[in-house]
């Protein structure tokens, strides 16, 4: 081998090595194939939707061979922390499923320039959800499903006690009738507890709206939670614990209400419609969905889960295209029908569920009969996200006798007004 040939060979090897290094750096170490884009997608599951989204991703990758979706699954309770860690560490995921759009609106990609027509895109979805994903005139997310709070009950325990549940809207219990029914199921049906209630201020606020209250004034310029209705709701919630209808172990001890209901010893569970999917595998007893009781009015609380793309991932265009795909009529209907969720799309309000179709109709009726102030409050995510944890802690303070309802709600109102003032 001549010196000239040896030089050419070494030069070629150096160039090849340099090309490999540059390719690896350009793809942040996530792409084995330099022609393929990998999108990190942060995800949590309440029920079977994790399996459904994997199937949808597989279908997407088959027709979009240059894109690979890396689904990063974490528990619901960990999603906020995980996402904040990734963002603060300078390594945002391309996509995430979120419930709290307000907390991440500043880091989110404005999808407006990525969709053909922003107004038409938004018009596909239920109007009440718009404030959740259009923040400061920016399209920061897209709705994936819509949720409602409702009442799941243990049919076996109610039948054993001989207690009938409402089967139509005109039979809805008053709160006095509801608590009397629970006591009867505890006495005659052998229920250990009358009810469990998810540990979230969102679920707690159902009682607030049923009593005619709200977190904010209608125009959103001031706190309204420390009203007479708010005080009554807090007192009522505490009384349910004091009378042993609700276990202290959930709100004060962190016990999982889902597990308690699954044990077959609890008469009712105040939860969201996604629990239909979660409880589908229960075989030890019969269960169903009935109407929530009313205070001065009926009300549920609307909510939803959203898809968000993040600035700085390097794959904003690809993430936006995937969001459009997931929220399209065909894909979104498949996702919600098979996951046993409710679609946020106006043209997919009636789905052919393989399980619990009549239960979804009750949840939909709860949503239809909800106080408009519920959506008005919870859609103001930039305020709600700042006070949500404090509200939960203040409810716990009342339950543990460390504050009166008035003191706890006055403190909450002060924080709400500070959050409004900081906007």
């Amino acid at each position: 081998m001549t010196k000239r040939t040896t030089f050419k060979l070494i030069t070629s090897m150096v160039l090849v090595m340099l090309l490999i290094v540059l390719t690896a750096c350009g793809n942040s170490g996530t792409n084995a194939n330099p022609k393929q884009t990998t999108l990190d997608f942060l995800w949590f599951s309440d029920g079977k939707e994790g399996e459904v989204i994997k199937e949808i991703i597989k279908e997407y990758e088959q027709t979009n061979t240059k894109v690979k979706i890396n689904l990063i699954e974490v528990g619901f309770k960990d999603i906020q922390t995980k996402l904040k860690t990734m963002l603060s560490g300078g390594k945002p995921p391309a996509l995430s499923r979120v419930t709290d759009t307000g907390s991440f609106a500043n880091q989110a990609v404005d999808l407006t320039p990525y969709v053909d027509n922003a107004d038409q895109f938004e018009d596909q979805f239920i109007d009440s959800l718009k404030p959740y994903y259009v923040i400061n005139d920016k399209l920061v997310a897209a709705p994936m499903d819509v949720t409602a709070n409702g009442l799941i009950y243990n049919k076996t325990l109610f039948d054993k006690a001989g207690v009938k549940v409402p089967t139509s809207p005109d039979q809805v219990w008053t709160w006095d009738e509801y608590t009397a029914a629970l006591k009867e199921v505890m006495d005659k049906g052998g229920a250990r507890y009358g009810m469990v209630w998810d540990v979230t201020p969102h679920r707690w606020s159902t009682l607030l709206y049923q009593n005619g209250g709200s977190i904010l004034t209608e125009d959103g310029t001031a706190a309204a939670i420390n009203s007479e209705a708010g005080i009554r709701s807090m007192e009522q919630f505490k009384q349910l614990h004091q009378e042993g209808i609700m276990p202290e172990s959930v709100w004060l001890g962190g016990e999982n209400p889902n597990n308690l209901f699954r044990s077959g010893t609890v008469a009712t569970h105040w939860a969201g419609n996604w629990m239909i999917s979660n409880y589908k595998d229960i075989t030890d007893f019969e269960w169903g969905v009935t109407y929530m009781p009313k205070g001065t009015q009926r009300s549920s609380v609307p909510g939803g889960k959203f898809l968000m793309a993040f600035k700085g991932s390097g794959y904003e265009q690809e993430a936006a295209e995937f969001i459009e795909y997931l929220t399209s009529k065909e894909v979104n209907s498949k996702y919600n029908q098979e996951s046993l969720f409710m679609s946020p799309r106006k043209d997919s309000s009636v789905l052919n569920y393989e399980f619990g179709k009549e239960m979804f109709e009750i949840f939909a009726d709860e949503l239809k009969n909800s106080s408009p102030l519920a959506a008005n409050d919870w859609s103001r995510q930039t305020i709600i996200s700042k006070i949500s944890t404090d509200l939960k802690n203040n409810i716990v303070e009342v339950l543990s006798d460390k504050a009166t309802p008035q003191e706890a709600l006055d403190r909450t109102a002060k924080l709400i007004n500070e959050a409004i003032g900081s906007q």
Side-chain angles (χ1 to χ4, degrees), residues 107-386:
Q107 291 85 21
V109 171
D110 180 4
L111 299 172
T112 306
Y114 295 98
V115 297
D116 289 338
N117 183 306
D119 289 338
Q120 289 179 7
F121 183 79
E122 295 164 19
D123 195 46
Q124 301 174 105
F125 308 110
I126 297 170
D127 295 338
S128 61
L129 289 177
K130 185 174 179 178
Y132 283 89
Y133 65 91
V134 179
I135 297 176
N136 296 328
D137 296 324
K138 294 180 180 176
L139 185 55
V140 299
M144 194 66 175
D145 67 276
V146 63
T147 64
N149 296 340
L151 186 56
I152 298 172
Y153 75 104
N154 183 319
K155 187 174 185 301
T156 299
L157 291 177
F158 272 78
D159 286 348
K160 187 176 178 182
V163 177
K164 303 291 185 186
V165 303
T167 55
S168 65
D170 58 2
Q171 296 176 353
V172 166
W173 283 312
T174 64
W175 259 94
D176 285 343
E177 291 169 337
Y178 170 63
T179 52
L182 294 183
K183 289 176 180 177
E184 200 168 347
V185 176
M186 292 171 70
D187 290 341
K188 298 179 182 177
R192 186 179 175 195
Y193 298 109
M195 62 190 300
V196 286
W197 198 311
D198 290 351
V199 187
T200 81
H202 182 277
R203 230 77 75 233
W204 174 84
S205 69
T206 313
L207 181 57
L208 176 68
Y209 301 116
Q210 289 175 353
N211 282 324
S214 62
I215 295 174
L216 303 166
T217 54
E218 188 172 356
D219 61 7
T221 58
I225 197 168
N226 53 344
S227 64
E228 183 180 337
I231 303 298
R232 184 165 64 253
S233 301
M234 195 70 92
E235 290 173 345
Q236 197 174 346
F237 196 64
K238 183 172 183 177
Q239 187 177 355
L240 290 166
H241 285 83
Q242 289 176 324
E243 293 183 356
I245 294 175
M246 290 178 65
E248 291 188 342
S249 60
V250 174
W251 274 76
L252 296 181
E255 187 167 15
N256 189 326
N258 304 2
N259 293 340
L260 271 173
F261 185 79
R262 279 181 172 277
S263 73
T265 62
V266 178
T268 59
H269 182 190
W270 282 62
N273 58 283
W274 55 90
M275 292 308 294
I276 294 175
S277 171
N278 188 292
Y279 287 157
K280 185 183 173 187
D281 63 351
I282 291 178
T283 56
D284 297 338
F285 57 89
E286 290 188 73
W287 61 277
V289 173
T290 186
Y291 297 86
M292 290 189 292
K294 61 183 178 184
T296 57
Q297 61 187 4
R298 291 183 63 193
S299 188
S300 179
V301 186
K305 300 182 181 69
F306 303 83
L307 296 171
M308 188 173 271
F310 292 94
K311 293 184 282 191
S313 74
Y315 302 120
E316 288 84 348
Q317 177 70 44
E318 293 84 353
E321 289 173 0
F322 187 58
I323 287 177
E324 276 203 277
Y325 176 78
L326 286 178
T327 54
S328 64
K329 177 176 169 54
E330 180 182 358
V331 178
N332 184 259
S333 298
K334 169 186 170 72
Y335 170 76
N336 283 292
Q337 182 171 297
E338 295 185 10
S339 299
L340 299 181
F341 289 163
M342 296 192 294
S343 173
R345 292 187 60 96
K346 294 174 182 175
D347 55 6
S348 294
S349 58
V350 179
L351 296 173
N352 188 27
Y353 298 106
E354 65 171 12
F355 177 84
K357 188 174 181 180
E358 72 286 355
M359 301 182 196
F360 283 103
E361 290 174 357
I362 294 175
F363 270 102
D365 187 78
E366 299 284 14
L367 209 54
K368 189 173 68 177
N369 287 280
S370 293
S371 165
L373 293 176
N376 185 56
D377 284 345
W378 287 95
S379 63
R380 297 177 189 273
Q381 285 285 301
T382 54
I383 298 171
I384 289 293
S385 63
K386 292 179 180 175

